[in-house]
Amino acid sequence: MSMSGFDSRKLTSEFQDFYSEYYEEEIGELADKFPREKESLYIDFEKLSVFNEDIAADYLSNPESLREYAEEALRLYELPVDTDLEDAHVRIYNVPETTDIRDIRISDNIIGEAIAIKGIVRKATDVQPKITRAAFECQRCGTMNYIPQIDGDYSEPHECQGCERQGPFSINFTESGFIDGQTLKIQESPEGLRGGETPKSINVDVEHDISGVVTPGDHVTIVGVLQIDEGDSQDNSEFFDVYLDCVSIMIEDEEFEDMDITESDVDEIKELAEDKDVYNKMVESISPGIYGYREEKLAMVLQLFSGVTKHLPDNSRIRGDIHMLLIGDPGTGKSMMLSYVGDIAPRSVYTSGKGSSSAGLTAAAVQDDFGDGQKWTLEAGALVLADKGTAAVDELDKMDKSDRSAMHEALEQQTISVAKAGINATLKSRCSLLGAANPKYGRFDEYEPIANQIDLEPALVSRFDLIFTVTDKPDEQRDSKLADHILESNYAGEINTHRDEVVDPNFSEQEVEEASEEVKPAVEPELLRKYIAFAKRNCYPTMTDEAKEKLKDFYVDLRLEGSGEDQPVPITA
């Protein structure tokens, strides 16, 4: 079979030349550890492109054939005596162009081609034996019939090769061939979604040594061959599912892998960082449609950047993420600020109290038609999907008490331990939590201590680093300014909509600009998202002696204030 002017022998020798130029050491290591510790040679697609662009392009358009030549070249490669890489695999990674899961279209003729996708592992089945060659023993004459099992379809022989009768047959497991297999469900990463889109997902079939390497909640890049799933033949539906046959999996440790930050973005970020007024600009860019709350907004900015995760010499870890709770009267714009922060954060998940259960927040054990449909699988919840990002939980007080208790471990240890339906697992949830709640009676009663009106468990309250009480008291001067701000922002919105919708509008673009000045963020939301992602990737500040002293004094004074009777919530270390 010839591709792009290559014949099979030439292709095999090209791969051998490629190995000797780039992968001599890796092949030596593979031969040394094969098959117990290592079964695969990983090829960097960019190196293959540099070596021979045509072969690299063919690898993507015809991955099955090219993989055979690559593995043949590996078997024929000169190795120390007594080494045989008969069943070694060649896996390609670092394919530069990734395809969004929602953009996979059959009309692009990509069935059978290799594509790369990025996402988060939503579910994973157990690693199970998958049959590749079944040995059927004829019950009449004892002849063994070997039937290859292709694409996961389980097929019996039509007739015995010995006595030519149609069975009955029994399967002989010791003579049959099995491999390890697993099914994953990969969902789009939260940071790639904007404006409340429903994340799309795709199933991925994983085999051999790469099965069992990921757990739900991991951010991964997968290279795989796109296939069509015939499904259950009795179904007779004209619709089919697509799935990926996995070639390689890379777990992404890097934060916000979907954020494209260009050189010009970096210049803008550095210019903004050197601005003396950077704090004010940031505060003015958080929910500018809401008047006031400068302290709360500053705290939200600091939470978006988060502190530094501390790793101590004894391998223990102190979280660097800041948890913040807004508790206050209705109508003060808490939810609006929450959803705004959800849009700004490079990776965020927004959820609301009454619509969330403990399983939905942490992890659910589900039994459905995923995999073989018989076993329980683990599905990652909101706090796991927000790993290394921000989770915004509104209406905390409306949540059932038992569901709220699921958050305790996620907030302090930043892990989620699951022991249900026979599954014992620990998932990561290294996220900042921004919560909002109303007080006990719906709004604050000024004649009762605030501590008694926070209707959340003390154990949960102590896990929040910053708690803001947002009260709504009549104050003529403030109310006048607030009314002006609300009317201005609504008017700006109205004339903007008017200009967009009406064919012959009454307002010029200049007038819209002037009216919107009041509610325009000082820093564009997209730049702010990139600024935060860039800072979290590159900045790891440390404390000065002065800062240590200041924090110590502040803590001691605060503890003294809370030592009397009917005082506010005592502050924990």
Side-chain angles (χ1 to χ4, degrees):
M1 176 180 181
S2 154
M3 272 168 282
S4 306
F6 289 106
D7 63 27
S8 56
R9 201 172 302 159
K10 188 166 182 213
L11 269 169
T12 310
S13 75
E14 285 277 343
F15 271 112
Q16 283 183 297
D17 294 346
F18 172 60
Y19 293 154
S20 55
E21 194 171 325
Y22 288 98
Y23 285 99
E24 197 149 354
E25 268 183 45
E26 285 85 345
I27 291 175
E29 192 187 341
L30 177 64
D32 194 33
K33 296 181 173 179
F34 187 80
R36 282 221 172 281
E37 293 169 55
K38 226 175 175 189
E39 283 181 44
S40 300
L41 174 70
Y42 283 84
I43 290 183
D44 186 334
F45 183 79
E46 292 207 345
K47 284 183 183 172
L48 187 58
S49 298
V50 170
F51 176 75
N52 187 320
E53 219 170 309
D54 292 341
I55 291 185
D58 273 342
Y59 208 119
L60 294 185
S61 58
N62 208 328
E64 294 296 322
S65 307
L66 266 282
R67 190 174 53 86
E68 280 174 29
Y69 298 133
E71 288 176 1
E72 179 65 21
L74 190 57
R75 282 193 282 277
L76 298 173
Y77 196 78
E78 281 185 28
L79 291 164
V81 194
D82 301 340
T83 345
D84 177 19
L85 296 177
E86 185 58 43
D87 292 321
H89 312 285
V90 172
R91 305 197 179 280
I92 199 149
Y93 71 100
N94 197 19
V95 173
E97 280 184 41
T98 57
T99 306
D100 286 345
I101 296 174
R102 65 178 54 239
D103 292 339
I104 293 174
R105 294 286 179 274
I106 299 307
S107 50
D108 297 336
N109 292 327
I110 53 174
I111 293 295
E113 294 192 4
I115 60 169
I117 61 164
K118 283 185 173 186
I120 188 167
V121 181
R122 189 70 199 253
K123 289 192 214 174
T125 60
D126 290 339
V127 177
Q128 292 168 283
K130 183 175 178 179
I131 197 161
T132 51
R133 194 183 68 137
F136 291 98
E137 194 174 337
C138 177
Q139 296 293 286
R140 294 177 188 269
C141 68
T143 306
M144 203 69 83
N145 297 268
Y146 295 99
I147 307 290
Q149 307 292 314
I150 300 160
D151 286 344
D153 289 335
Y154 184 68
S155 46
E156 287 197 0
H158 294 299
E159 58 178 35
C160 174
Q161 289 164 357
C163 63
E164 297 188 351
R165 287 191 244 182
Q166 291 179 336
F169 300 101
S170 71
I171 188 164
N172 184 321
F173 290 118
T174 50
E175 292 285 315
S176 300
F178 290 93
I179 57 169
D180 290 328
Q182 182 188 27
T183 308
L184 309 175
K185 179 170 267 184
I186 306 296
Q187 179 182 301
E188 291 174 303
S189 294
E191 64 264 36
L193 302 176
R194 292 263 59 73
E197 296 168 321
T198 309
K200 299 283 183 273
S201 57
I202 189 169
N203 286 357
V204 177
D205 271 4
V206 186
E207 291 174 357
H208 299 291
D209 55 325
I210 51 173
S211 49
V213 297
V214 295
T215 52
D218 284 344
H219 286 258
V220 292
T221 299
I222 289 180
V223 177
V225 182
L226 197 69
Q227 305 284 15
I228 283 192
D229 183 10
E230 291 178 33
D232 199 350
S233 52
Q234 288 120 22
D235 199 6
N236 290 338
S237 164
E238 69 266 38
F239 289 102
F240 292 87
D241 290 329
V242 290
Y243 70 95
L244 272 189
D245 250 341
C246 186
V247 175
S248 69
I249 299 183
M250 292 289 147
I251 298 175
E252 300 276 355
D253 286 331
E254 198 184 315
E255 294 170 36
F256 320 127
E257 61 272 10
D258 278 9
M259 294 287 291
D260 287 327
I261 298 176
T262 60
E263 287 293 317
S264 63
D265 288 334
V266 173
D267 293 341
E268 273 189 82
I269 286 166
K270 288 185 174 167
E271 192 184 325
L272 183 56
E274 282 161 17
D275 191 328
K276 292 275 184 286
D277 204 26
V278 66
Y279 273 92
N280 276 331
K281 281 191 173 174
M282 292 278 175
V283 170
E284 283 161 19
S285 304
I286 297 285
S287 212
I290 289 176
Y291 177 73
Y293 304 121
R294 290 190 70 82
E295 269 200 337
E296 287 84 342
K297 287 179 180 179
L298 177 59
M300 285 175 195
V301 170
L302 296 174
Q303 182 187 35
L304 283 168
F305 285 90
S306 91
V308 181
T309 301
K310 280 70 77 175
H311 296 280
L312 304 182
D314 63 351
N315 283 342
S316 58
R317 175 181 178 280
I318 301 172
R319 71 175 163 91
D321 297 298
I322 302 162
H323 302 313
M324 178 173 155
L325 177 65
L326 293 173
I327 188 158
D329 297 335
T332 45
K334 299 187 299 294
S335 301
M336 215 169 149
M337 287 195 274
L338 247 70
S339 54
Y340 197 89
V341 166
D343 280 343
I344 290 278
R347 180 181 294 165
S348 71
V349 175
Y350 178 89
T351 170
S352 180
K354 210 53 187 164
S356 309
S357 65
S358 57
L361 280 175
T362 55
V366 288
Q367 191 177 23
D368 55 15
D369 57 358
F370 180 63
D372 62 359
Q374 302 305 310
K375 291 201 166 50
W376 290 87
T377 53
L378 208 57
E379 188 165 350
L383 294 176
V384 179
L385 295 177
D387 184 40
K388 290 207 169 180
T390 303
V393 185
D394 203 358
E395 312 285 4
L396 263 175
D397 54 310
K398 315 286 187 297
M399 216 185 238
D400 288 344
K401 210 169 178 176
S402 58
D403 291 337
R404 274 203 302 262
S405 64
M407 292 158 63
H408 291 196
E409 181 198 355
L411 291 184
E412 200 50 64
Q413 278 69 43
Q414 297 202 301
T415 56
I416 285 166
S417 305
V418 178
K420 43 178 122 176
I423 300 169
N424 281 336
T426 300
L427 308 175
K428 300 183 189 82
S429 71
R430 297 159 296 182
C431 63
S432 304
L433 189 98
L434 175 57
N438 294 120
K440 199 176 198 170
Y441 312 116
R443 56 188 310 135
F444 280 117
D445 177 350
E446 55 187 292
Y447 301 111
E448 199 175 324
I450 281 180
N452 301 353
Q453 297 187 62
I454 297 181
D455 194 22
L456 299 172
E457 302 79 45
L460 184 64
V461 173
S462 78
R463 281 168 169 78
F464 285 101
D465 308 295
L466 290 166
I467 300 169
F468 287 99
T469 52
V470 186
T471 53
D472 181 20
K473 287 181 183 165
D475 174 338
E476 193 178 346
Q477 200 180 353
R478 188 180 180 281
D479 288 349
S480 169
K481 283 183 181 170
L482 175 61
D484 282 343
H485 183 85
I486 292 173
L487 293 168
E488 284 297 319
S489 48
N490 276 277
Y491 176 68
E494 280 170 4
I495 65 170
N496 195 19
T497 308
H498 177 88
R499 243 193 95 75
D500 288 348
E501 303 294 338
V502 178
V503 182
D504 189 14
N506 304 332
F507 301 95
S508 67
E509 203 160 317
Q510 180 72 27
E511 286 176 287
V512 175
E513 281 285 312
E514 283 169 14
S516 305
E517 201 56 47
E518 178 77 14
V519 288
K520 209 174 171 192
V523 182
E524 283 298 314
E526 198 49 40
L527 176 62
L528 188 53
R529 288 182 79 221
K530 288 177 177 177
Y531 190 117
I532 293 162
F534 185 79
K536 286 186 88 159
R537 264 186 215 167
N538 299 297
C539 298
Y540 297 94
T542 53
M543 276 190 288
T544 59
D545 289 341
E546 193 186 351
K548 286 183 204 168
E549 201 57 44
K550 207 163 188 173
L551 285 167
K552 180 183 163 186
D553 294 346
F554 176 77
Y555 170 67
V556 173
D557 291 349
L558 208 55
R559 290 283 287 188
L560 280 173
E561 273 180 41
S563 58
E565 291 217 2
D566 60 76
Q567 288 295 326
V569 183
I571 302 299
T572 60

